[in-house]
Amino acid sequence: MGDSPYLVSRLQGFGTTIFAEMSALAVATGSINLGQGFPDEDGPPEVMDAAVAAIRAGHNQYPPGIGIPELRHAIVAHQSKWYSLDYDADTEVLVTAGATEAIAAALLALCEPGDEVVTFEPYYDSYAACIAMAGAHRRVVQLRTPDWTFDAEALERAITPRTRVLLLNSPHNPTGKVFDVAELELIAQLCVEHDLLAITDEVYEHLVFDGKHVPLATMPGMRDRTVTISSGGKTFSCTGWKVGWLCAVPELVDAVKTVKQFLTYVNAGPFQYAIAVGLGLPGSTLRRLAGALEEKRDRLSAGLAAAGLTVLPSAGTYFVSTDIRSLGESDGMAFCRTLPERCGVVAVPSIAFYDDDDAGRPLVRFACCKRLEVIDDAAARLRGLAR
Ligand SMILES: Cc1ncc(COP(=O)(O)O)c(C=O)c1O
């Protein structure tokens, strides 16, 4: 495949290939799958009921290209309520097929071939693929273990005259890092100084346990140069619905919309109504959802530590990362390939999220977004590793 003249040769090897291998292993061995991040329980009943009602009400044809007004207004109200960010629902919001399409369309729309995109590694695997599809080049700044900090000078050095976009994911997959205000201020300052656009992926915005999610767009000088992306899948435990969105100034929304209309055109008609209901739920409901996930993060982290793994801090998201060197192992890929057979659990080797193989090799990511009894079962199985 590496010799293919087609784009596939440049996209092979990115994370998705490894996830597919691990998910297949989970099925083949009947293991507990803590690899891919999807919940095993439904989200709030109000949101589920709204989807059923929307289908029954006949909202089953193409929705408007920019998304149904109910959802666009709900997104505007959400950004204003949580972050005091004001957007116009008709010109500054675009509904997309999950955050995945928003990320792809934004990179395709805003990058010219040869441009550079700065992002942090480890990185969510679609970033590398989408940057490649845009003909752009990625330059990565490493989040260092054990505390996921980064070197400010390394970030500054990564920015060159070819840099067009800074792509930020916070709360961050796979690390669970939530960028703090001082870090965001530094990133914002560099974006302004070098006249960069920012694309932010905030799909875990409501799944924060330690610290607070602050959108980059709230930093001085950033609102008008930032495309803020999120989606309903993680917050409302409905990853299969693929309702995402972005907020930005009209000319950036127009640019992304031009690409989006030739990718999916529109999607998820009835589910857009349901996510609009979800975004309008009281803050207490969203905090309860985060609280339930925090308990799972804690339970899984304790289980992983009891199994002899070094648990790295996760302040949010669906994930907990570990360093396997405390078990006397060093190759996360080999570890994950044999884990199903050794103890009936599937995880993901973090090397899939790294350019720097040496940094990623000893790290393994586990998903905590599963029922407590599933986590307990996985923890009991993993205890065999420590013996
Ligand atoms: C950081 C990050 N961004 C985007 C996505 C995809 O979001 P969606 O399902 O809304 O396309 C994921 C899903 O795992 C993710 O972890």
Side-chain angles (χ1 to χ4, degrees):
M1 206 57 102
D3 297 334
S4 167
Y6 305 108
L7 186 62
V8 62
S9 64
R10 281 192 279 134
L11 301 189
Q12 282 291 320
F14 290 157
T16 318
T17 327
I18 295 174
F19 300 149
E21 180 187 338
M22 294 304 151
S23 288
L25 260 181
V27 173
T29 58
S31 294
I32 298 176
N33 191 351
L34 301 185
Q36 228 186 338
F38 56 86
D40 56 359
E41 281 177 298
D42 282 339
E46 300 93 317
V47 179
M48 303 296 128
D49 292 347
V52 175
I55 291 171
R56 292 267 177 241
H59 295 303
N60 298 306
Q61 309 309 326
Y62 296 132
I66 56 172
I68 61 166
E70 290 85 344
L71 179 54
R72 285 185 281 110
H73 283 282
I75 292 164
V76 164
H78 171 273
Q79 295 305 98
S80 171
K81 171 179 158 183
W82 288 89
Y83 310 122
S84 301
L85 280 169
D86 292 319
Y87 292 100
D88 180 86
D90 295 326
T91 59
E92 296 188 307
V93 177
L94 178 66
V95 175
T96 56
T100 305
E101 186 194 37
I103 295 159
L107 286 165
L108 288 166
L110 305 180
C111 294
E112 295 296 328
D115 282 352
E116 291 176 358
V117 176
V118 170
T119 195
F120 292 91
E121 82 166 351
Y123 47 75
Y124 177 58
D125 59 303
S126 90
Y127 299 172
C130 290
I131 293 167
M133 288 194 286
H137 302 290
R138 68 180 178 281
R139 290 179 69 97
V140 297
V141 178
Q142 198 163 103
L143 299 173
R144 298 167 304 196
T145 57
D147 55 2
W148 305 124
T149 51
F150 64 90
D151 177 12
E153 278 168 22
L155 176 57
E156 219 166 335
R157 275 197 310 275
I159 298 170
T160 77
R162 304 294 325 237
T163 309
R164 176 87 177 124
V165 167
L166 185 136
L167 172 55
L168 177 72
N169 174 210
S170 182
H172 181 266
N173 174 10
T175 64
K177 176 185 174 71
V178 178
F179 283 70
D180 66 25
V181 169
E183 291 170 328
L184 294 169
E185 272 169 3
L186 172 73
I187 293 167
Q189 186 200 319
L190 289 171
C191 286
V192 171
E193 210 174 290
H194 295 274
D195 196 20
L196 308 182
L197 295 171
I199 299 175
T200 65
D201 175 349
E202 306 181 15
V203 299
Y204 298 101
E205 61 186 318
H206 289 295
L207 302 178
V208 172
F209 325 127
D210 309 318
K212 183 172 178 252
H213 172 63
V214 178
L216 185 63
T218 62
M219 294 289 128
M222 291 309 291
R223 182 198 179 278
D224 292 356
R225 60 175 71 244
T226 302
V227 177
T228 300
I229 292 172
S230 192
S231 84
K234 315 291 180 185
T235 301
F236 305 113
S237 295
C238 52
T239 59
W241 290 5
K242 299 295 277 189
V243 179
W245 57 86
L246 58 89
C247 298
V249 290
E251 67 260 34
L252 292 178
V253 168
D254 272 349
V256 183
K257 188 171 63 183
T258 308
V259 174
K260 185 243 155 37
Q261 69 192 354
F262 298 115
L263 293 176
T264 56
Y265 178 50
V266 295
N267 76 296
F271 299 117
Q272 292 192 19
Y273 288 88
I275 296 298
V277 169
L279 289 177
L281 289 173
S284 55
T285 306
L286 299 194
R287 280 189 286 275
R288 188 174 46 72
L289 297 173
L293 189 62
E294 180 177 358
E295 189 181 359
K296 296 174 180 189
R297 187 254 341 230
D298 290 345
R299 193 78 74 92
L300 178 64
S301 300
L304 295 170
L309 292 148
T310 301
V311 178
L312 299 167
S314 169
T317 79
Y318 281 174
F319 304 107
V320 175
S321 290
T322 59
D323 190 326
I324 60 173
R325 283 175 292 193
S326 48
L327 280 175
E329 309 212 21
S330 56
D331 182 348
M333 182 70 98
F335 179 84
C336 288
R337 284 192 168 132
T338 55
L339 196 60
E341 219 171 275
R342 285 160 76 188
C343 48
V345 174
V346 163
V348 164
S350 304
I351 200 165
F353 309 112
Y354 278 87
D355 284 354
D356 179 348
D357 286 355
D358 289 340
R361 192 168 287 116
L363 306 180
V364 170
R365 188 195 76 177
F366 292 83
C368 63
C369 51
K370 307 291 176 186
R371 279 169 294 133
L372 284 171
E373 55 267 34
V374 173
I375 292 174
D376 288 343
D377 188 1
R381 295 175 183 213
L382 287 164
R383 222 161 287 141
L385 289 173
R387 282 185 210 122

